[in-house]
């Protein structure tokens, strides 16, 4: 075994595949560029307030270079099914607001130190405004949803919001708990991440009035893509190569967040290794060098690789969910974005 | 001048009037008891979750003896206009959930130490679950609203939620700022408190399909009642008699929250008094005995009395808003509850 853990992840694809996947996001961005400009306008307009602290704080996160993957999925889904109306613009904005509100509340929650490469809002403005501006974005998201005039859309997105918070609380209750099963972990990431991906895609089908089959297919695509996305996210948090790129790694380790790489390593580990995981992640007694040791154990047990393999499985299901749709550039972009989400190194 | 500040507040009515007003809440509770039992059932059912931390944490606040004033207003408004349907039950529940979510997020926000006589949730469970369970209740509120199948109801309540959070942020920006005007203060309390009272009443008119005039009247009643309620709340925070009853006072003072009693006292004060307010509330350099001094200054400047007088003004407007309705027991209870909100000593 040579080099870093990321070497192992990359080795699953080779650099060419990785580059091809990386360009998928550019192609999807190009595809939806026109409508995304409208989404961006709506974001700016709807996060505005005479209370200047609100756009200031919200803009800190919203402008800080997220990929806008979720609203992009709404726009691409609309293109996929040939929807030419305007209702999905507000919904794409609502989806991004829900996501951003969740991130803001996570900042309070996790006391994390890096968020999209910037200092988290709560360290600049304090917990109070961070919670409240998150609430503000949630409320604005609901206003945008109401404007869609579709009770079905409202049911989907209000339901998603409830499931997301339930998933976040469930995640808290599994923190530091090394007996967490893979099944429970899947339940957490489906709720906290995948359901919003699913809703982002599904609502495009609803406003286009295309019926249950299309809506279910879009929902399934989004859900499986979201699960794959989160699996990769959780592997990347132990990716030493990212650290060399100046990215923060080890957040989950420091918080004792029990993700699949650790779940698998704990189960596969020796008694001695289990003592290491118990000390560092259950009791949070961590010393210098523990993160390096953790990464080493994950690599030895191949659990970063296996987490990525699981992501491939869900990625394949996401692609198959699109089988009912005729080929068009949006479909190709949505297929390619699955590979992007799995092979991304950031 | 003799006795405590609360002596001054009570002196505005005398004990008989205060007792009469206190029984108003009992009468309203009796009036809506049947439907309130349904609301309580809905509350328990909808705050439930397989993630047991959620009902545990939410129940801490929801079961801890709040008066359920807001859902009571929805039920009484429905009675006032003779609505016999069921849609307001879910909406009354949604209103209570929004209120509770706000309180939970306030717990994180204000680091307050007493909430409905119990330890705040964040001191028991930490900030993380408190924020998330607040989000969960917000989401469940929206689910309940969506179930009303009324886009108008959704517009009102989603708009209210956005205004509430905007008001809370505005309040943060006026904290420690002694130049805050009475006008700005009214803007804050209208947004953070009165709009939810207004929405709680208005939605009953909407589901009953009674038209704009009825909806506006209910909205106005709720709004003015809410303003009066908050004015009294802000006066009570400096009410020394409450301290003798074991209630916490001085929260606003300790946080540097600029409320009307202080706004008026600062304007009316001598240079020396202003230095006191600047030290204690702008710079938050507080010493033992400062709260007593603050209460003394507020009494000397009659600003607690004047805050209550302002509340009477808005209370009168609330009552007048009901003039278009025929007399019935619900109307009488809604009129009496105005007096209750103004003369309550807790």
């Amino acid at each position: 075994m040579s080099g870093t853990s990321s070497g192992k992840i990359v080795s699953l694809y080779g650099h060419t595949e990785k580059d091809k996947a990386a360009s998928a996001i550019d192609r999807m961005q190009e595809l939806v560029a026109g409508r995304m400009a409208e989404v961006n306008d709506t974001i700016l307009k709807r996060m505005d307030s005479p209370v200047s602290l609100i756009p200031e704080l919200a803009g800190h996160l919203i402008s800080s270079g997220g990929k806008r993957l979720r609203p992009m999925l709404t726009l691409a889904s609309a293109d996929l099914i040939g929807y030419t109306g305007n209702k999905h613009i507000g919904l794409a904005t609502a989806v991004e607001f829900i996501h951003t509100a969740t991130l803001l509340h996570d900042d309070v929650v996790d006391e994390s130190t890096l968020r999209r490469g910037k200092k988290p809002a709560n360290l600049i403005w304090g917990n109070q405004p961070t919670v409240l501006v998150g609430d503000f974005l949630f409320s604005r998201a609901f206003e945008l949803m109401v404007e869609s005039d579709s009770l079905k859309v409202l049911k989907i997105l209000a339901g998603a919001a409830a499931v997301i918070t339930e998933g976040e609380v469930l995640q808290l209750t599994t923190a530091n708990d090394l007996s967490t099963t893979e099944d429970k972990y899947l339940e957490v990431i489906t709720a906290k991440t995948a359901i919003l991906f699913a809703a982002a895609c599904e609502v495009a089908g609803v406003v286009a009035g295309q019926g249950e089959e299309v809506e279910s297919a879009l929902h399934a695509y989004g859900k499986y893509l979201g699960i794959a996305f989160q699996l990769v996210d959780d592997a990347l948090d132990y990716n030493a190569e990212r650290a060399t790129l100046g990215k923060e790694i080890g957040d989950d380790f420091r918080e004792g967040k029990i993700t699949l790489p650790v779940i698998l390593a704990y189960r596969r580990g020796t008694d001695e290794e289990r003592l290491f995981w118990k000390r560092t992640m259950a009791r949070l007694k961590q010393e210098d060098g523990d993160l390096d040791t953790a990464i080493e154990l994950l690599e030895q047990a191949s659990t970063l690789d296996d987490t990525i393999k699981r992501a491939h499985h869900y990625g394949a299901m996401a692609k198959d969910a699109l089988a009912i749709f005729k080929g068009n550039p949006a479909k190709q972009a949505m297929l390619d974005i699955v590979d992007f989400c799995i092979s991304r190194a950031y």
Side-chain angles (χ1 to χ4, degrees), chain A:
Chain A
M1 192 167 311
S2 75
T4 63
S5 65
S6 68
K8 298 214 58 160
I9 292 179
V10 170
S11 72
L12 286 170
Y13 322 98
H15 273 288
T16 316
E17 266 190 69
K18 194 173 154 188
D19 294 345
K20 210 175 78 188
S23 71
I25 187 95
D26 299 330
R27 267 178 288 127
M28 186 177 267
Q29 265 163 350
E30 257 172 59
L31 189 81
V32 301
R35 308 319 297 268
M36 189 55 91
E38 292 176 57
V39 172
N40 286 334
D41 283 350
T42 313
I43 285 175
L44 287 175
K45 219 164 71 191
R46 294 311 185 91
M47 78 179 197
D48 203 15
S49 162
V51 184
S52 61
L53 178 58
I54 291 175
E56 194 184 315
L57 197 159
H60 174 74
L61 197 60
I62 284 184
S63 69
S64 64
K67 293 177 297 298
R68 306 232 160 125
L69 183 56
R70 292 157 192 80
M72 212 189 292
L73 288 173
T74 306
L75 300 182
S77 297
D79 279 357
L80 172 73
I81 55 181
Y83 175 65
T84 54
N86 275 316
K87 287 201 169 171
H88 62 319
I89 304 297
L91 296 178
T93 307
V95 164
E96 184 70 359
F97 278 0
I98 291 174
H99 173 58
T100 308
T102 311
L103 291 183
L104 283 171
H105 286 184
D106 264 355
D107 273 352
V108 175
V109 163
D110 289 339
E111 288 157 23
S112 54
T113 52
L114 210 82
R115 170 78 66 203
R116 287 183 184 171
K118 284 199 178 182
K119 238 179 132 176
N122 69 323
L123 290 190
I124 302 174
W125 287 279
N127 279 339
Q128 310 186 350
T130 303
V131 172
L132 292 175
V133 173
D135 290 346
F136 176 81
L137 291 178
F138 263 132
S139 311
R140 281 285 157 99
F142 281 104
E143 287 190 312
L144 283 158
M145 286 147 54
V146 172
E147 288 169 28
S148 77
D149 279 344
S150 160
L151 282 165
K152 191 162 184 184
V153 159
L154 282 159
K155 280 200 176 79
I156 292 166
L157 285 171
V163 170
I164 290 165
T165 55
E166 216 163 12
E168 299 249 13
V169 179
L170 185 62
Q171 176 171 266
L172 283 183
T173 65
T174 66
N176 315 114
D177 180 0
L178 287 159
S179 72
T180 303
T181 58
E182 177 164 0
D183 196 48
K184 180 70 80 180
Y185 165 81
L186 277 173
E187 197 184 326
V188 168
I189 68 171
T190 302
K192 76 165 191 165
T193 305
I195 289 301
L196 189 58
F197 277 69
C201 298
E202 186 178 1
V203 294
V206 176
V207 294
Q210 299 248 343
E212 289 290 344
E213 197 191 350
V214 164
E215 289 160 26
S216 305
L218 289 172
H219 178 94
Y221 167 80
K223 186 174 88 171
Y224 295 130
L225 176 61
I227 293 174
F229 181 91
Q230 190 60 54
L231 280 161
V232 172
D233 225 47
D234 291 344
L236 286 173
D237 201 54
Y238 291 97
N239 182 318
E241 192 182 84
R242 286 176 82 222
T244 67
L245 297 171
K247 305 275 176 190
E248 189 82 10
I249 65 165
D251 278 347
D252 297 342
F253 182 70
R254 277 185 292 275
E255 292 167 22
K257 193 184 277 181
I258 306 300
T259 57
L260 190 59
V262 171
I263 289 172
L264 297 177
Y266 183 74
R267 305 206 147 208
R268 296 174 186 174
T270 62
D271 285 350
E272 199 192 345
E273 285 167 10
R274 290 184 181 199
L275 285 176
F276 170 82
W277 293 116
K278 279 182 190 161
R279 170 174 64 80
T280 54
M281 301 210 69
R283 298 202 307 278
L284 287 180
K285 302 278 176 214
Q286 299 185 4
E287 296 159 13
D288 283 355
D290 278 345
L291 177 60
D292 293 334
T293 305
I295 292 174
E296 218 169 292
L297 291 177
L298 298 179
E299 288 182 5
Q300 273 169 27
S302 292
T303 68
L304 294 171
D305 279 3
D306 287 345
T307 299
I308 301 295
K309 278 186 194 155
R310 303 286 210 271
H312 275 280
H313 163 78
Y314 290 103
M317 289 167 81
K319 288 181 180 179
D320 278 326
L322 295 184
I324 65 163
F325 300 106
K326 274 184 293 198
N328 66 20
K331 180 170 176 176
Q332 194 53 51
M334 288 173 79
L335 292 170
D336 292 346
I337 214 75
V338 174
D339 295 326
F340 162 76
C341 284
I342 295 174
S343 63
R344 74 206 161 95
Y346 52 89

